[in-house]
Amino acid sequence: MDKFLKRKNANSELGPANNSNEEPGVSGEQKKTKMVSSRQYNESYLSFGFTFTGDPTAPTPLCLVCGEKLSNHAMVPSKLKRHLQTKHQSLQNKKTEYFVRLRKHNEKQGILMKKNAKVSERALKASYLVAELVAKSKKPHTIAETLILPACKAIVAEMLSPDAVKEVAKVPLSDNTIARRIDDMSADIESVVLEKIHISGKFALQLDESTDISGHAQLLANVRFLDGDAIRENFLFCKALPEKTTGEEIFRVTSDYLEQGGLKWENCTSVCTDGAAAMVGRTKGFVSRVKEKQPDVIVTHCFLHREALVAKTLPADLASVLDDVVRMVNFVKSRPLKSRIFASLCEEMGAEHKALLLHTEVRWLSRGKVLARVYELREELKVFLTNERCDDAKQLASDEWCARLAYLADMFQHLNELNTRMQGRNENLLTSTDKINGFRSKLNLWRQHLESDNIDMFPLTQKCQGDVNTSVLFEIIGKHLKTLEEKLSFYFPSTSTECLDWVRDPYSSGAVFGKDMTLQEQEELTVLRQDRGLKLSFADLPLDSFWLTAAKEFPILANKAFSTLLSFSTTYLCELSFSSMTAIKTKNRERLRAVEEELRVCLSSVPARISALCLSKQAQVSH
């Protein structure tokens, strides 16, 4: 039987006195255990119904009949035979060929199990991928099982084979499964974002509050932080305000979330909000509470909201025209029958559009689009109102009224362009301020051209000068342009960023030291301007990447630059989140109280680590 025993040490039969490599401090029992080697499997054991499993250097006997595993010390013919005789007495006279066939059968079953396991893993990952698509499309969870899965089956059956349909059917896509997958991805994204913020050290917040379709107040927040070699902005949270929407309640909810995520107000460089009293109130507003925690925080009133307030200001002569337009639109849109008649009339007259647009105060671009559409369909609208015997038809028949309408359409077109340019991601105080200052310069230029009776900047108005008293019209336009300048100065009092030109271009000869720069910051800026290596990289790198590179040698100056670059100038991301929330929480899904997980997966720029999530889950196919 010694031929089945493999020994590691050729001198193991020698006594302790003959062992020249004896280790000091090792007992005789430990030495005996160390010298005993593992027993190895032999093909002749198959006659006893045994194969092996596990590590080939230390195999474990495995019974082919009952699947019982014995210890390595039982790898002895006598013990294996005794197992066969005591537990499988009816098979003790079977020939070796019987156990060979039994081993092949078990191997086939193992291969099948591995194959099914791989199918389950692929189905699990496919389930996560579909859940991500459902969240990003803002659709109900049931769409995966009622539309996506049947569509996949139909496509696969036509393009591949019926066997492929069976594989697709194994993907679990029930509504509850999709909800769990979205929750998992949301938690993973949140953990990654919080970890990145911890590494960044500094972050900026953008907050806004609104009411959803079910009447619940929702507080939305987005964050901007340093991530690697760039500045990243991402969805942070959406929390329901249980009762009142006061500044104290908003601060409490925000502070609780930051505390749970291990974040501190001391690391918050700036906060951007709208101009609501709950946000910017001097005593109980959210901003005042933040300043108690972080006195140096930069507070920004959203540029988009301020620009919308500027656009609302109209002289009496132009405000009456806007009121007339709103009344005409409401008259047509008040009943579906009138809308259908007006659409037929527009089609008969060959108009490009067949419907008017409604004016909504909360939508920034609403005025310009409504006025432009009414001006475009003024002839069709005049015919319709005349047929309906509406008094507003007289306004459309007046050339002076139409000229004022044309000017409003032109001016709000310019205002809408300004508003649109300030929308989007990666807007900061520098870029938004430049756009406001550029529009202010355009107003001054327009006033100069208006004094010389040139209104080329208003193309629609220029076409309507026919029988209009131009002196009166120009006087109204000049008054409005002056009012816009005054309102811009009121809502954007400190739009000069010349002291921050060193952030845009530290190598510019015109860039001066900021008034609030310390001596150390000025010293680092002076040395930075002499660094030719960084100067060469400045032309090739984005601004945020350049300062992240410079932070290695000039940390104090870079930190001051990041305070400006991290600051949000608008609440665009919050408005985008509210639009997504409106699409997710419809009247058919108004009982969906918590939408944070859906919004995080839908809006986050940080992807979920689906492969890692699959490893932590037990893969199961759909039945």
Side-chain angles (χ1 to χ4, degrees):
M1 190 170 64
D2 290 340
K3 66 180 180 180
F4 302 117
L5 185 62
K6 181 179 179 182
R7 300 185 181 276
K8 295 181 179 178
N9 190 350
N11 299 323
S12 61
E13 293 180 355
L14 298 176
N18 297 329
N19 192 352
S20 60
N21 297 326
E22 182 177 357
E23 299 180 13
V26 179
S27 65
E29 188 67 25
Q30 292 174 334
K31 181 167 58 181
K32 181 179 178 181
T33 304
K34 185 175 181 180
M35 290 189 298
V36 174
S37 302
S38 302
R39 297 183 179 275
Q40 299 300 304
Y41 177 77
N42 190 280
E43 282 294 323
S44 62
Y45 295 165
L46 197 59
S47 61
F48 307 121
F50 273 87
T51 183
F52 75 93
T53 185
D55 187 2
T57 60
T60 302
L62 174 66
C63 179
L64 292 169
V65 181
C66 63
E68 183 178 354
K69 295 180 182 179
L70 305 181
S71 66
N72 178 261
H73 297 292
M75 191 78 79
V76 181
S78 60
K79 294 182 179 180
L80 301 180
K81 185 176 181 179
R82 183 170 58 194
H83 176 88
L84 180 65
Q85 291 176 346
T86 56
K87 296 194 175 182
H88 311 293
Q89 187 175 3
S90 60
L91 303 177
Q92 61 180 337
N93 296 324
K94 292 287 186 180
K95 295 182 179 181
T96 305
E97 288 76 10
Y98 171 79
F99 295 109
V100 171
R101 293 194 302 270
L102 189 60
R103 182 173 63 178
K104 291 182 178 179
H105 178 70
N106 289 346
E107 289 175 351
K108 289 181 180 179
Q109 284 187 332
I111 294 173
L112 182 61
M113 287 292 293
K114 290 181 180 179
K115 183 178 179 180
N116 289 336
K118 290 182 179 179
V119 171
S120 299
E121 292 172 2
R122 293 199 300 267
L124 177 64
K125 187 172 183 179
S127 178
Y128 272 103
L129 293 173
V130 173
E132 186 179 32
L133 291 175
V134 171
K136 289 184 178 297
S137 64
K138 312 175 189 69
K139 299 297 182 182
H141 300 164
T142 54
I143 195 174
E145 195 172 27
T146 58
L147 179 60
I148 296 178
L149 184 58
C152 288
K153 288 182 179 180
I155 294 172
V156 169
E158 184 65 27
M159 301 298 294
L160 299 178
S161 65
D163 293 335
V165 177
K166 296 179 181 179
E167 298 297 314
V168 172
K170 295 179 181 178
V171 181
L173 295 176
S174 67
D175 55 344
N176 291 331
T177 300
I178 295 296
R180 290 196 301 271
R181 302 285 188 257
I182 292 176
D183 291 345
D184 293 340
M185 290 187 288
S186 174
D188 181 70
I189 293 172
E190 184 179 22
S191 64
V192 172
V193 171
L194 291 176
E195 182 180 355
K196 288 180 179 292
I197 297 175
H198 281 293
I199 296 173
S200 170
K202 291 178 175 289
F203 64 92
L205 292 178
Q206 172 190 136
L207 297 101
D208 201 358
E209 174 270 326
S210 185
T211 305
D212 58 28
I213 192 172
S214 60
H216 296 111
Q218 302 285 352
L219 176 64
L220 274 165
N222 287 269
V223 64
R224 184 179 281 173
F225 54 91
L226 305 176
D227 182 21
D229 59 348
I231 293 178
R232 187 187 295 272
E233 51 193 20
N234 200 83
F235 176 87
L236 188 60
F237 68 80
C238 174
K239 300 295 183 183
L241 299 174
E243 295 181 359
K244 297 181 180 180
T245 58
T246 60
E248 295 178 341
E249 185 67 13
I250 294 172
F251 178 77
R252 183 191 65 79
V253 172
T254 306
S255 296
D256 289 347
Y257 181 84
L258 295 181
E259 184 178 352
Q260 292 174 4
L263 304 179
K264 298 180 180 179
W265 280 113
E266 288 75 11
N267 295 329
C268 180
T269 60
S270 68
V271 174
C272 182
T273 66
D274 61 5
M279 289 291 185
V280 297
R282 293 183 179 180
T283 56
K284 297 183 179 181
F286 167 76
V287 170
S288 62
R289 291 287 184 262
V290 173
K291 286 186 175 180
E292 293 176 2
K293 295 286 186 178
Q294 168 61 299
D296 298 330
V297 67
I298 300 174
V299 179
T300 307
H301 181 187
C302 173
F303 276 58
L304 294 173
H305 284 83
R306 284 189 279 175
E307 191 270 347
L309 293 174
V310 171
K312 282 185 176 181
T313 305
L314 289 173
D317 296 329
L318 297 177
S320 61
V321 174
L322 180 60
D323 294 338
D324 294 339
V325 168
V326 172
R327 188 169 59 252
M328 294 177 190
V329 173
N330 290 340
F331 179 81
V332 177
K333 306 282 285 187
S334 61
R335 293 184 180 180
L337 175 60
K338 293 182 179 179
S339 299
R340 293 196 298 270
I341 296 174
F342 181 72
S344 300
L345 178 62
C346 292
E347 185 175 1
E348 292 176 1
M349 298 181 67
E352 184 178 355
H353 300 286
K354 301 178 183 178
L356 299 175
L357 302 177
L358 285 172
H359 169 50
T360 307
E361 284 287 343
V362 296
R363 295 187 177 180
W364 299 319
L365 309 181
S366 174
R367 283 190 189 84
K369 293 183 177 180
V370 171
L371 291 167
R373 182 63 59 86
V374 170
Y375 180 81
E376 180 183 350
L377 299 176
R378 63 189 183 283
E379 294 297 332
E380 291 81 2
L381 185 59
K382 181 174 67 173
V383 173
F384 175 80
L385 294 178
T386 302
N387 294 338
E388 294 290 330
R389 298 180 181 178
C390 179
D391 295 337
D392 290 327
K394 298 178 182 178
Q395 306 290 356
L396 292 167
S398 171
D399 292 336
E400 292 186 1
W401 190 91
C402 289
R404 297 178 186 181
L405 172 63
Y407 166 72
L408 283 178
D410 283 328
M411 176 51 71
F412 278 101
Q413 176 66 26
H414 291 299
L415 291 170
N416 284 357
E417 289 177 1
L418 172 63
N419 195 293
T420 304
R421 288 177 60 205
M422 290 192 294
Q423 295 183 34
R425 299 180 179 272
N426 302 317
E427 276 288 311
N428 55 48
L429 293 177
L430 300 179
T431 57
S432 296
T433 300
D434 288 346
K435 292 165 186 176
I436 289 294
N437 288 336
F439 186 77
R440 179 177 294 173
S441 299
K442 286 171 65 175
L443 289 178
N444 291 328
L445 180 63
W446 292 345
R447 289 184 64 187
Q448 294 175 10
H449 280 266
L450 186 64
E451 292 176 357
S452 58
D453 297 339
N454 181 11
I455 56 172
D456 292 342
M457 55 283 188
F458 306 126
L460 298 180
T461 311
Q462 190 177 26
K463 295 178 182 179
C464 293
Q465 293 186 73
D467 299 329
V468 178
N469 188 346
T470 55
S471 60
V472 176
L473 177 62
F474 288 178
E475 182 181 354
I476 295 174
I477 294 176
K479 185 178 179 181
H480 184 221
L481 293 178
K482 183 178 180 181
T483 303
L484 286 177
E485 286 188 65
E486 294 174 352
K487 290 299 179 181
L488 280 174
S489 300
F490 177 77
Y491 286 109
F492 299 94
S494 56
T495 54
S496 175
T497 57
E498 293 181 0
C499 59
L500 297 176
D501 283 347
W502 64 270
V503 179
R504 310 170 193 265
D505 184 2
Y507 300 100
S508 173
S509 58
V512 297
F513 294 123
K515 297 179 181 179
D516 58 342
M517 293 183 70
T518 63
L519 177 60
Q520 287 181 316
E521 292 167 349
Q522 293 179 7
E523 289 174 347
E524 287 196 356
L525 179 57
T526 302
V527 177
L528 173 66
R529 287 174 174 173
Q530 303 303 320
D531 193 320
R532 298 184 62 83
L534 283 175
K535 185 175 183 180
L536 292 174
S537 64
F538 176 75
D540 300 328
L541 294 176
L543 189 59
D544 52 350
S545 300
F546 167 77
W547 280 111
L548 284 166
T549 303
K552 299 174 183 178
E553 299 183 35
F554 308 98
I556 299 176
L557 184 65
N559 285 334
K560 188 170 185 63
F562 290 143
S563 298
T564 301
L565 296 176
L566 283 175
S567 300
F568 286 104
S569 60
T570 69
T571 57
Y572 169 79
L573 295 179
C574 287
E575 300 296 341
L576 181 66
S577 302
F578 283 129
S579 298
S580 299
M581 184 176 66
T582 302
I584 292 172
K585 197 168 183 179
T586 62
K587 63 179 181 181
N588 295 326
R589 302 177 71 193
E590 62 178 353
R591 294 180 63 185
L592 185 67
R593 185 177 180 86
V595 294
E596 182 177 29
E597 289 75 16
E598 302 257 351
L599 288 174
R600 182 172 286 114
V601 177
C602 173
L603 300 171
S604 179
S605 59
V606 177
R609 299 171 296 184
I610 295 179
S611 298
L613 290 173
C614 292
L615 292 176
S616 63
K617 299 292 181 180
Q618 182 177 359
Q620 294 180 349
V621 297
S622 180
H623 301 288

